[in-house]
Amino acid sequence: MSRLVVDGWGKTIAVENEQIVVKEREANETKIVYRSIPSEIEQVIVTGSGSITTRAIELLAENGVDVVFIDWKGQVRARISPPIMRTVNTRREQYRAFDEPKGGALAKEFVRCKMRNQMSLLGTMAKTRRDSQPAKAQALSEGRHGIELWLEKLDEIRTASCNEIRDAIMGIEGNASAIYWDSISQLIDESFQFRNRSGRYATDPVNALLNYGYAVLEGECWKAIHYAGLDPYGGFLHVDRPGRASMVLDLMEMFRQQLVDKVVFELIFHKRVEPKEFEMENGVCKMQEGARKLLLTEILSKMEDHIRLPEKRMKWSDVIQREAVSVAKFLRGETTSYRGFWMRW
């Protein structure tokens, strides 16, 4: 199965002979640039100013294919998904768990795995620089150790409901992330003007790349949450806020470093993207089309890569789905604990 990415102006996703086609209009001529049966499509990502017909939406939904719309700022603007196929029991247990220690245990585990993955990535980068850049390797190792100390403090927090322990957890997560991004900033060339992680509305190329990558990851996590029967908005670590898919953001925390950060850093360190490929628009740093397409290609390719787990080799996208299902099983009481995903170093 493949992912269909529609990027650029003037393209339309439509149906022809029960097949999904992409039409492109150029110089008063319309031609078909893509054609596939819907069962061969895993996901559709629309990143430009394209359009999609009602019949195409229906046919994709009938085949369990969701459609994600991402804007140039790196935000998921809309998502179309097939109807929910699970019973309501999972969601009832999800809402109930928020006020119970079970919800706090999930919030704590999401942060623990995020910090573990931050340590893993810093450790890997230190190892590859041990001979060529010993001073930077030492600084990365010290950053890794700094996060490890905060991890010990996280383990000391007693398990209770989300409201009782969230502030303490988020405080630790904030301190660990400050160490992580400060360590990373030492490796990035000054020309990228990266100082720290800024979140939405990037003002430098690195944050623009990260925001866009996280938006692609968000679409994948949303799909996993949906098929696991969970409510995307009923999170544990992230607070409730109108329009915020807190459960999706919770799940994402375990995958940001391995699936997005690593790809972005490799593009920068190997000079596959350069500062001249970005420009400011209304105070927001914007990627040019070439950089955006390269990042999208690399992250989607990464999703299809396999990793070796203790039990078997799995695609990254299947690992995300597996974690969402494991969370649902824990909430329904089918397992007594939940152990999240992190990479060993």
Side-chain angles (χ1 to χ4, degrees):
M1 297 177 73
S2 62
R3 297 171 196 272
L4 169 59
V5 179
V6 178
D7 188 4
W9 182 87
K11 294 176 182 172
T12 301
I13 305 170
V15 174
E16 191 173 286
N17 298 323
E18 294 304 300
Q19 293 181 327
I20 295 296
V21 298
V22 177
K23 299 179 179 179
E24 184 174 7
R25 185 169 180 79
E26 278 186 359
N28 297 323
E29 180 184 356
T30 300
K31 59 182 181 181
I32 293 177
V33 296
Y34 173 88
R35 180 188 296 275
S36 176
I37 56 175
S39 60
E40 293 295 321
I41 301 173
E42 183 175 350
Q43 185 183 46
V44 176
I45 298 175
V46 182
T47 68
S49 302
S51 60
I52 182 169
T53 67
T54 303
R55 179 57 191 137
I57 292 172
E58 292 173 348
L59 187 58
L60 289 167
E62 289 168 8
N63 286 272
V65 182
D66 66 348
V67 184
V68 181
F69 297 84
I70 300 174
D71 69 11
W72 64 267
K73 296 176 184 174
Q75 297 180 48
V76 176
R77 307 307 300 181
R79 183 173 178 274
I80 301 170
S81 61
I84 296 170
M85 292 177 283
R86 304 267 313 181
T87 66
V88 298
N89 187 46
T90 302
R91 292 192 173 206
R92 283 183 176 148
E93 295 299 332
Q94 182 181 357
Y95 304 143
R96 186 177 292 121
F98 184 82
D99 295 316
E100 298 176 349
K102 184 179 281 190
L106 282 173
K108 194 172 163 182
E109 181 65 6
F110 294 143
V111 169
R112 190 179 77 87
C113 292
K114 176 179 183 176
M115 293 168 68
R116 283 282 185 188
N117 282 318
Q118 289 173 333
M119 289 171 57
S120 173
L121 197 47
L122 292 184
T124 300
M125 290 192 290
K127 185 177 179 181
T128 58
R129 289 166 174 77
R130 187 172 297 161
D131 297 326
S132 60
Q133 299 172 301
K136 289 186 176 179
Q138 178 63 27
L140 289 166
S141 296
E142 290 172 1
R144 183 180 184 278
H145 180 63
I147 296 175
E148 190 172 25
L149 295 178
W150 283 109
L151 193 61
E152 292 173 3
K153 294 184 182 298
L154 180 72
D155 290 338
E156 293 171 1
I157 296 176
R158 65 182 177 85
T159 302
S161 70
C162 293
N163 282 333
E164 290 176 278
I165 63 174
R166 180 190 283 124
D167 287 348
I169 292 175
M170 293 304 286
I172 289 173
E173 188 273 339
N175 282 297
S177 288
I179 294 172
Y180 174 74
W181 289 113
D182 183 62
S183 300
I184 296 298
S185 68
Q186 309 302 316
L187 305 178
I188 297 176
D189 190 272
E190 276 292 318
S191 59
F192 281 94
Q193 303 178 29
F194 177 71
R195 297 292 177 269
N196 212 328
R197 178 76 185 116
S198 63
R200 299 175 67 183
Y201 307 117
T203 56
D204 62 84
V206 179
N207 275 297
L209 289 162
L210 290 168
N211 287 350
Y212 199 82
Y214 292 151
V216 177
L217 176 61
E218 182 181 338
E220 191 70 24
C221 289
W222 202 319
K223 184 175 70 171
I225 292 288
H226 176 77
Y227 283 109
L230 294 161
D231 182 344
Y233 297 93
F236 300 99
L237 176 63
H238 292 84
V239 296
D240 293 345
R241 189 176 296 169
R244 169 188 268 187
S246 297
M247 187 68 236
V248 176
L249 298 178
D250 283 3
L251 186 68
M252 278 177 63
E253 296 296 351
M254 300 186 290
F255 297 99
R256 290 177 187 266
Q257 298 74 36
Q258 299 296 336
L259 288 176
V260 178
D261 296 3
K262 188 178 284 187
V263 170
V264 169
F265 301 155
E266 287 177 354
L267 290 178
I268 293 171
F269 297 155
H270 292 102
K271 302 185 185 305
R272 298 179 65 191
V273 294
E274 297 183 18
K276 65 182 180 182
E277 296 179 86
F278 299 80
E279 59 191 0
M280 296 299 292
E281 182 173 312
N282 298 323
V284 181
C285 186
K286 180 180 180 181
M287 287 182 281
Q288 292 180 358
E289 185 175 343
R292 188 177 70 246
K293 285 185 175 180
L294 175 60
L295 175 64
L296 189 56
T297 300
E298 291 295 319
I299 290 181
L300 294 181
S301 175
K302 184 86 173 178
M303 294 282 188
E304 300 301 315
D305 283 350
H306 287 74
I307 60 168
R308 181 170 293 284
L309 301 175
E311 61 274 25
K312 62 178 179 180
R313 291 181 78 244
M314 293 182 74
K315 279 200 312 184
W316 275 105
S317 57
D318 291 338
V319 175
I320 294 174
Q321 184 65 63
R322 184 193 68 169
E323 291 305 314
V325 170
S326 295
V327 169
K329 286 182 176 178
F330 174 59
L331 290 170
R332 292 195 299 266
E334 296 171 16
T335 55
T336 56
S337 63
Y338 170 72
R339 304 298 288 179
F341 172 83
W342 55 276
M343 292 282 284
R344 294 185 184 278
W345 173 59

